[in-house]
Amino acid sequence: MVEKDEVTTGMVAWGRRDFGNPATTSYWEIGIVLLPEWRGRGIGWRAQAMLCDYLFAHSPYPRIQAGTHPENIAEQKSLVKAGFQLEGVIRSAEFRAGRWRDGYLYSRIRGDVTVPIDG
Ligand SMILES: CC(C)(COP(=O)(O)OP(=O)(O)OC[C@H]1O[C@@H](n2cnc3c(N)ncnc32)[C@H](O)[C@@H]1OP(=O)(O)O)[C@@H](O)C(=O)NCCC(=O)NCCS
């Protein structure tokens, strides 16, 4: 994903989703994971901002969304720095470690402010 002396630091993923009619409601959902030694060094938010630029440039879809856990402060901050906005709480989104847990849903829309990654 980010190469420094050709070192792999992690990966991003993206997939097309829709709200029922692919022709009129398609959007992207993204995810990211960095290897532990590369976290907290400014790579995560930049990678997600760059991925948004790439997806908006190479597809017509107007919306990119990302979900995260309420306890994942790093990803929440990373998404906001990458130009995402919190849309809301997805109640009982996931069964994990013995109980149903809420999720946070973020999105970035085509036309939202582009984020310079050299800042
Ligand atoms: C979540 C993740 C992608 C964030 O990327 P990152 O490179 O570590 O984070 P960044 O260096 O870009 O930091 C972005 C912001 O988060 C903050 N941050 C980073 N790690 C943090 C932590 N552990 N706790 C609190 N804030 C943190 C940074 O300080 C920065 O905010 P600031 O500019 O206000 O200081 C990365 O940590 C990761 O891969 N984690 C494990 C996998 C994961 O959780 N993926 C997302 C699943 S939804």
Side-chain angles (χ1 to χ4, degrees), residues 99-110:
R99 67 178 175 87
W100 286 94
R101 295 164 192 270
D102 295 345
Y104 284 178
L105 182 64
Y106 286 77
S107 71
R108 185 170 153 183
I109 304 300
R110 185 187 297 278

Side-chain angles (χ1 to χ4, degrees), residues 29-32 48 65-80 84-86 88-91 93-94 96 101-107:
E29 175 131 15
I30 68 168
I32 184 170
Q48 290 176 102
Q65 81 173 37
T68 193
H69 300 139
E71 64 272 24
N72 194 340
I73 305 301
E75 177 63 348
Q76 291 166 41
K77 286 185 169 183
S78 183
L79 285 168
V80 170
F84 283 73
Q85 295 179 26
L86 178 63
V89 177
I90 311 299
R91 296 188 299 163
E94 176 189 24
R96 177 165 46 94
R101 295 164 192 270
D102 295 345
Y104 284 178
L105 182 64
Y106 286 77
S107 71

Side-chain angles (χ1 to χ4, degrees), residues 12-24:
V12 292
W14 60 94
R16 191 199 60 78
R17 308 279 187 271
D18 62 65
F19 293 112
N21 182 346
T24 56

